[in-house]
Amino acid sequence: MNEHEILDRLAALEIETPSWGYGNSGTRFHVYPWPGAARDAFERIADAALVHRLTGCCPSVAVHIPWDAVDDYTALGRFAHEQGVRIGAVNPNLFGDDAYRLGSVCNPDAAVREKAIAHCLECIGIAEEVGSTIISLWLADGTSYPGQDDLRDRHARLVESLERVYADLPDGMRLLLEYKFFEPAFYSTDLPDWGTAALVCRRLGPKAQVLVDTGHHPQGTNIEQIVALLLADGLLGGFHFNNRKYADDDLIVGAIDPFELFRIMCEIARAGDGGIALMIDQSHNIEGKIDAMIQSVSNIQTAYAKALLVDRKRLAEAQQEGDVLGAHRILVEAFETDVRPLLAALRERLGVEADPVEAFRRGGYAERLAGERGTTSVESAYESA
Ligand code: LRH
Ligand code: MN
């Protein structure tokens, strides 16, 4: 691929940021309030729009319902448009309600399952109202002790409930199923891995695809191989990019293992990346929200630029010849390439500054937002107990 083709692919890269990444969030131990952190859906969308203005590649923002619930979703969609972005994936919340103690769509109680299904249908209505084409569903459903519930019955409830949700999807809208191997359930999770998610998607139909959150796998999992497999079967619908050292840490993308991010982006680059929703899902417990989000966007662009530099012809030849180290070195060659000049050319083309993180930090945005919004303290789980 020559430089122009690489720049075209880079310029076509769109990354969706999460509304929930702009507000104050923490752990069960404490929430450290950040001066100027967004306090409502409109401020979260305004911050996402600022990230788009500074990066040129984040035209949509994912929302989470009811965290971003408003009286008038048409007005919210219009506000986003006025800010220069659109509302992307709509995330139903099937974990933040007392009724979901034993699960939502897998709950033994049919009335609770009905409540959960109704919320998903409400979110489909919201998506239609704001012009979104993605329902992004993660389930906290599971059990915490052996014997607590029947594992096959829970799976049957899962499929039966999601068939009801799937049946309500209008043409052109996709249902992305996000799996996670544990937490908040600590014995079994009803949607624990890519295989279960793929099986359920196959049961539902072509509008259902799998969402890979990079923080949702056991240590040592080869995530890029899962990505390759799902791509091969047309089942990869999207990503929640973040990074982790231990569990679902939701850290800045590429901050812990940039080589893993590069290997994942190599599978995306090889697939020609059409139709895969590239979204960030991270939260910021001790660092500022907006520049951390821009850093993640920048790290994804860096990994993708390096992935596009892989000499595919030479790599295929070395692989065919069984030249193990040779093939490996061709991949590492791309990873070790300094792509900052390429990204500077990209950002000139996008009309943004060469270093968007610095542009934010030197631009007085943090001070202005802190002045306008002040600091809002939030109680953690333990503190509100
Ligand atoms: C669950 C998850 C899911 C969201 C939430 C904010 O761990 O990754 O995507 O709904 O984080
Ligand atoms: Mn996620």
Side-chain angles (χ1 to χ4, degrees), residues 178 211 213 216 240 242 281:
E178 180 181 2
L211 185 148
D213 183 312
H216 287 187
H240 273 181
N242 48 58
D281 175 8

Side-chain angles (χ1 to χ4, degrees), residues 335-355:
F335 179 66
E336 291 177 343
T337 302
D338 180 356
V339 292
R340 286 174 291 186
L342 193 53
L343 293 177
L346 167 71
R347 289 167 183 150
E348 191 181 341
R349 177 165 157 174
L350 297 174
V352 300
E353 298 217 13
D355 183 339

Side-chain angles (χ1 to χ4, degrees), residues 31-290:
V31 176
Y32 301 96
W34 191 264
R39 300 163 295 180
D40 61 35
F42 292 91
E43 291 183 352
R44 292 188 281 270
I45 288 173
D47 290 357
L50 173 57
V51 168
H52 182 45
R53 286 198 297 282
L54 292 172
T55 62
C57 64
C58 299
S60 62
V61 52
V63 295
H64 219 294
I65 307 297
W67 294 342
D68 297 310
V70 292
D71 301 335
D72 182 345
Y73 286 100
T74 303
L76 189 71
R78 194 179 317 112
F79 173 78
H81 183 71
E82 286 155 7
Q83 294 280 316
V85 290
R86 67 178 192 278
I87 294 179
V90 174
N91 291 252
N93 184 319
L94 295 182
F95 49 89
D97 188 296
D98 298 351
Y100 299 144
R101 178 173 66 88
L102 301 176
S104 63
V105 293
C106 304
N107 196 298
D109 181 338
V112 175
R113 300 200 296 273
E114 287 308 319
K115 174 185 171 73
I117 293 167
H119 176 59
C120 291
L121 302 190
E122 177 203 359
C123 287
I124 291 174
I126 292 168
E128 286 182 294
E129 200 172 335
V130 299
S132 166
T133 61
I134 292 180
I135 297 293
S136 183
L137 184 61
W138 169 68
L139 299 173
D141 289 42
T143 66
S144 285
Y145 294 93
Q148 173 188 329
D149 197 353
D150 183 277
L151 299 175
R152 288 204 36 197
D153 290 350
R154 292 184 71 90
H155 185 70
R157 297 167 200 149
L158 172 71
V159 172
E160 192 264 330
S161 302
L162 292 185
E163 280 170 342
R164 300 260 305 279
V165 174
Y166 187 88
D168 194 60
L169 283 177
D171 288 343
M173 194 177 289
R174 289 186 287 165
L175 173 64
L176 303 188
L177 295 186
E178 180 181 2
Y179 59 86
K180 181 176 179 179
F181 81 113
F182 92 108
E183 189 205 39
F186 295 103
Y187 167 66
S188 74
T189 292
D190 295 297
L191 207 53
D193 54 31
W194 70 273
T196 308
L199 277 177
V200 173
C201 287
R202 279 271 178 266
R203 291 279 294 272
L204 295 175
K207 289 188 274 187
Q209 292 180 305
V210 180
L211 185 148
V212 175
D213 183 312
T214 48
H216 287 187
H217 306 83
Q219 288 283 346
T221 300
N222 186 325
I223 300 174
E224 60 270 25
Q225 185 178 19
I226 294 171
V227 170
L229 279 172
L230 292 171
L231 281 166
D233 262 41
L235 277 169
L236 182 67
F239 273 95
H240 273 181
F241 285 112
N242 48 58
N243 215 178
R244 55 80 173 270
K245 176 116 183 70
Y246 302 104
D248 191 16
D249 309 345
D250 283 341
L251 299 174
I252 290 172
V253 183
I256 303 293
D257 189 346
F259 189 45
E260 178 189 57
L261 178 63
F262 162 75
R263 300 194 309 268
I264 291 170
M265 295 312 285
C266 283
E267 295 303 330
I268 302 278
R270 183 186 182 291
D273 60 89
I276 304 164
L278 303 179
M279 303 176 277
I280 292 173
D281 175 8
Q282 67 188 48
S283 52
H284 312 105
N285 304 334
I286 57 173
E287 71 273 35
K289 326 292 176 183
I290 298 173

